[in-house]
Amino acid sequence: MAYDFVFKPFADMTPEDYAAVGFKSGLEIHQQLLTEKKLFCRCPAGHYSRAYHAEILRHMRPTLSELGEYDGTALMEFKTKKEIIYRINRETVCTYEMDDTPPFMIDEQALDIALSIAMLYECVMVDELHIARKQYLDGSIPTGFQRTTIVGVDGHIPYKDRTIQIIQLGLEEDACREVSDIGHRRIYRTDRLGMPLIETVTGPDMRTPREVAEVCQILRRLVRSTGRVRTGLGAGREDVNVSVTGGTRIEIKGVPRIPRIPLLTYNEAMRQWNLLRLREELTRRGITAETFKAGAEEIVKWVRRTNYQPLQAALAGGMTAYGVVLRGFRGLLNWQTQIDTYFHQEISDRVRVVACLTLLPNIVHSDSLGQGLAAGEWPSVKKALGAGDNDAVVVVWGSEDDAKLAAQEIIIRAKEASIGVPSETRQALCDGTNGFERILPGPDRMYPDTDLPPKTIAADRLAWLQASLPASIFQREAWYREIGVPKDLVEQLSMSPFAPLFETAVRERGLDPKLAAVILVHLPKRWKRKGIKLESGTAEAAAILDQVFEAIQGRRLFKEGVPEILEAALTSGRPVDVFLPNPEPGETPAPDEARIAGLLTGPRWQDDRRRKRRAMGLLMDVWRGRIDAAAASRDMDEALGKVRP
Amino acid sequence: MSDADLYKGYKGRALEVLQHFQTPVWCDATFVTETGRYTGIVLPRSETADPVHIVIKLRSGYNIGILADRVTGVEIYGRKEAHYKIPEKDFPYDPVRPKVKLLGTGGTIASRLDYRTGAVIPAFSPGELYGSVPELADICNLETEKLFGVFSENMGPEQYIATAKAIGREIQNGVQGVVIGHGTDTMHHTAAILSFMVQNSPVPIVMVGSQRSSDRPSSDAALNLMHSVKTAAESDIAEVMVCMFGPTSDTYGLLHRGTRVRKMHSSYRSTFRTIGDIPIAMVSREKITPLRQDYKRRRKDREVVINTAFEEKVAIVYYYPNMKPDMIDSLIDNGYKGIIIAGTGLGHVNKPLYPALKRAQDKKIAVYMTVQTLWGYVQMYVYDTGRDMMELGVVPAANLLPEVGYVKLCWALGQTTDLDEVKKIMLTPVAGEITEREPSNGYLIFQGGIPEVEEFISKYRK
């Protein structure tokens, strides 16, 4: 096929444009669960701290998969020869996380939550769980693998007029947080390590960047609607998979916020498309995987007197320099890949990650104009490498081992350009572009966990969980609309931890849906603004809210009085009853006719409308929330007819 | 092919269902149930797992189990059989490098997945080792020989004797050092018996294993192997040693004397510790650093002495309060010739055991006292009870570790039945199993939580 479509600026791209390039995207959403303990040990969950008491040093080596193959990422990570340092805090990490003690049995609370969420996705449930080891050789988990298991497959959620497939729902342990990664040393903080996490994998069913963000939002709302997942920074993270026609599935990791997704996926689609266009250009120049030619030489002699500061500093520090000639590549290092990003960036990224040359810039190339080496230096470097006019040259510097590895890696990446889009895991950057992180791992990195036996999920456990499952947000939202919950409150209410309370209030206490929704959505926000803290969380607030609904049901409290009484009850910790008028048996709390007549016969008023308004004001000052304002207004209308000032 | 091969590990209902749908293992298939469909490759099932589930590997690489009874249909697409094989590469030969022999006994130093049990089983050949730890070729010319493939708890006299003889043979053949791959659980028993059976070795004999199997990226196997091969090839310590991690970090290993070492943690990497003394040396990929000078030096000659005597009727009795004399009686009645008691404190047992000990004395059974505190010496004069016991023929065995005492008594009784001779052998140190003194840094179990210990831990990688 021809790659003649040219990407427009982000804002100008239409769904038809994305269809033209065959944009496809899927999501992997990670969400921490609200449990007391970690997944495979009994460390407390959710205690985070930068403080650490000791360090442990480890290296990672590739091992064979269950099917007897090495994983590509594993080999790449091994090439990098990193020293991994773990900072450990004795309060949050035990010998399990440090891989010095075998796993304990899986946390049942986490398992219940994961099973429930799989049911919300209407997954096909797994009868027997098998714990797998998913290899991560970057060191982000000290064992070198993540313990993970699939609890459900082949689910789906409704989206627009179609469904989005949920390929699988996994339950797994969270990884370390990277502190730094400089040269051959990578440092991790271990406080998050081992936290229970679910991974939701969707099919590649999204067709535009906007759809990806929307589906991500829906999935996030869905899991949060259970009230059993963690919220806050880092508790939910998503990876986005993107491909275009002729490209390959690229996984972008570490997307911090959903609104970032559209630009990020746009850039990735453009990157793949432009790499395919680059291949076309190479083919046009007669360069294919078979005819590709390149060479590398040590070139210190030719750049010893350079004024280019990074190279000068490296050579002064005893480093070496290599030159790489890419035959026929002239001009292509400046081939655009993403917004303000060019092909030489792909090369620099590889050098940074694989050869650990983390100090940037780490390469300089002959297509860069007016930057890097002086114009006079290029000819001698080119001559040393035997480079001709149609060739491109890349110079890299570092220790002998690193620079040599880097030179090889530059050749590998350039050759890949003649093949297409290499399968990679990429990193989301804050400007909406993405950078190379590692080779995309495949199913070869999976290995059965021989430390834990398979676990049967009994049918009665599933039945019990199914019975206690909250209605899905899709069902809830349909019902909310049906009973007249204001449109702008529907989504917020369905995600609210108080959603179950709404249902009892409306169905059992017969409350006006609009009133109940306003109370449950707006008032918690107001407390947050006012800094009212809920000591024992939403459970306590739910109990007090229920008392309020009971009072409304019993006509002892009316909507105008709700905020005040609710806040009084929350801040004092005393029951709502204490703040309600306590009528004698038989006495109605409402003002009697005489009092209303008295209010209406006050000062002279120009007209009945103003007379009533003033009287209502005076009445509500005293009785706010304790009488039904609408009923009082009707009483007043009636009285107006009888009472003359 | 038999059904046992076709339906590897399956039994009961799961086997019936697979047979009914003619879906042997390694089939790529979709299993249809009333609630939905599952697609993947049918895997063999562990023999210890239940008979009602079928295991498949999903396209994503994950494994799941399906309740066989729920399967209503199977669609088969093809077959993909796994061949788990560590890539083999010829171990490079370099005439200037020393020759080291690696003798394999089993254990997790090199291992692969076993579908029968779902656990890992040992795998081992120079080619496989080179394929997974290529760094070894920078140290030596390695030859390997698989003596047996047993887990360390299954090591016994037959294996001890065969190993000792193999070591003797290799030394005669001129190797620069011997490495013995061994499971870690009873490595210290084997290290001790080899210290007695192989005497006057002119070269290092290094025992090595791993606490995390080599099928894990964070395994200690590769580094332990590099350390042990380096020690065998380059060190001038001609003793039987255990070479395992010093700290849990991947930094250095320790070389422990074979008769003073013990596994002290069920799972830590740094589980081996020299008891009541200090290790012989530290070893890293770069260098070997001796911590003491009183070790036996490497020699050019080949005059090794192999003495594989072994009496099997020996037991360790781990004393506990309220132990009944029938524990000792049953050993006597079953014809045991030697008993090592791991006594409390300085070496004590309760009075009710005395008649039984008297019987043992009358039956000419060799009874030796060691301490279950592991650190420290037996001292039976401090209390009267100790003196009483010595009257009953119980011989205090100084600071011999209980397990070391056990294998030494096996070895001594294998050589003679004369109890005086046995006593002479037992109490004369052959390979540092009894030391004259305990240095003040021979007992250091730091207590976590104490400020200065925490400060130390924060400064040095554990």
Side-chain angles (χ1 to χ4, degrees), chain A residues 13 35 48 144 154 175 206 219 226 328 357 365 496 529:
Chain A
M13 289 287 285
T35 60
Y48 298 139
D154 200 17
M206 283 74 89
L219 285 168
T226 61
L357 296 173
H365 61 90
S496 159
R529 273 201 307 276

Side-chain angles (χ1 to χ4, degrees), chain A residues 448-479:
Chain A
D449 189 11
T450 46
D451 295 329
L452 290 164
K455 184 179 177 70
T456 303
I457 303 298
D460 55 353
R461 180 177 191 166
L462 289 181
W464 183 84
L465 288 169
Q466 186 77 55
S468 47
L469 209 59
S472 86
I473 52 169
F474 311 111
Q475 294 163 343
R476 275 187 213 167
E477 288 173 8
W479 179 59

Side-chain angles (χ1 to χ4, degrees), chain A residues 52-70 78 83 85 88 90 95 98-102 123-137 142-150 153-154 168 170 172 185 199 442-444 446-451 454 456-457, chain B residues 26 33 35-38 41 43 45 49-50 53-55 57-67 70 80-87 112-113 115 118-120 131-135 212-219 222-223 226 245 248-251 265 267-270 454 457-462:
Chain A
Y52 62 99
H53 306 113
E55 285 185 344
I56 286 179
L57 181 153
R58 295 271 167 78
H59 302 100
M60 298 291 157
R61 295 179 80 83
T63 61
L64 290 181
S65 78
E66 185 181 15
L67 298 182
E69 281 152 46
Y70 279 114
F78 187 54
E83 206 175 71
I85 309 279
I88 55 179
R90 57 179 167 255
T95 51
M98 285 304 113
D99 194 31
D100 268 324
T101 290
C123 279
V124 183
M125 304 302 288
V126 169
D127 298 317
E128 187 186 57
L129 300 187
H130 287 248
I131 315 290
R133 300 175 182 171
K134 193 197 275 183
Q135 283 197 6
Y136 280 94
L137 271 85
T143 46
F145 53 79
Q146 179 183 40
R147 286 197 164 87
T148 166
T149 188
I150 296 297
V153 297
D154 200 17
Q168 61 188 32
E172 55 194 33
R185 169 170 293 193
E199 185 195 50
D444 284 340
M446 305 298 294
Y447 195 79
D449 189 11
T450 46
D451 295 329
T456 303
I457 303 298
Chain B
W26 308 121
T33 70
T35 54
R37 298 156 62 87
Y38 309 85
I41 295 165
L43 293 180
R45 187 144 172 95
D50 70 40
H53 291 95
I54 296 165
V55 194
K57 178 174 281 298
L58 301 173
R59 296 270 188 267
S60 56
Y62 284 89
N63 298 354
I64 58 162
I66 308 163
L67 194 63
R70 299 205 304 119
K80 190 189 178 191
E81 182 166 352
H83 293 284
Y84 189 94
K85 200 169 177 324
I86 296 166
R112 63 182 175 85
L113 189 75
Y115 268 117
V120 285
S132 43
V133 192
E135 294 95 328
R212 292 290 95 78
S213 58
S214 57
D215 60 352
R216 302 163 186 244
S218 64
S219 169
L223 198 52
M226 285 183 249
F245 267 36
T248 179
S249 287
D250 289 357
T251 44
H265 192 281
S267 56
Y268 244 79
R269 286 165 168 72
S270 50
E454 294 297 331
I457 290 169
S458 69
K459 276 193 193 143
Y460 296 94
R461 294 213 175 100
K462 295 210 301 172

Side-chain angles (χ1 to χ4, degrees), chain B residues 332-333 336 357-366 419:
Chain B
I332 299 169
D333 295 344
Y336 274 74
L357 291 172
K358 177 78 176 93
R359 262 189 85 204
Q361 187 182 28
D362 293 346
K363 293 254 179 181
K364 303 254 179 291
I365 295 169
L419 290 190

